[in-house]
């Protein structure tokens, strides 16, 4: 089962839910305040690796300007 990440629209809390793929479009409630939460893209799902093994972010973002090639240097 995949892990989906969410952020609460009221308190800003980020949390993960282990759900079946058939549940991926179901609403999620914040475990802290009970408000509706929005599904967000996981950072690990937003990177692509080319044939040489070099990673790049998909769709831009803070890593698109990074020349390190190693996310451990910035923690992203």
């Amino acid at each position: 089962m995949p892990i989906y990440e969410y952020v609460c629209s009221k308190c800003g809390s980020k949390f993960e839910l282990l759900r079946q793929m058939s549940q991926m479009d179901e609403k999620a409630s914040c475990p802290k305040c009970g408000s509706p939460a929005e599904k967000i893209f996981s950072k690990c799902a937003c990177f692509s690796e080319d044939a040489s093994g070099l990673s790049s972010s998909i769709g831009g973002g803070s890593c698109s300007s990074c020349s390190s090639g190693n996310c451990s240097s910035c923690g992203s």
Side-chain angles (χ1 to χ4, degrees):
M1 280 193 290
I3 297 174
Y4 296 96
E5 294 183 47
Y6 297 86
V7 64
C8 178
S9 56
K10 184 175 181 181
C11 71
S13 176
K14 292 183 180 181
F15 61 96
E16 300 174 342
L17 289 177
L18 182 65
R19 303 180 116 174
Q20 295 180 2
M21 289 183 75
S22 62
Q23 296 174 308
M24 70 184 211
D25 291 325
E26 290 183 16
K27 304 270 184 204
S29 297
C30 175
K32 286 188 176 182
C33 71
S35 295
E38 299 288 326
K39 187 168 48 171
I40 58 174
F41 288 106
S42 300
K43 285 186 178 185
C44 62
C46 296
F47 288 90
S48 176
E49 188 173 289
D50 65 17
S52 69
L54 196 61
S55 294
S56 61
S57 76
I58 297 171
S62 62
C63 292
S64 62
S65 62
C66 179
S67 61
S68 170
N70 183 347
C71 289
S72 65
S73 66
C74 69
S76 291

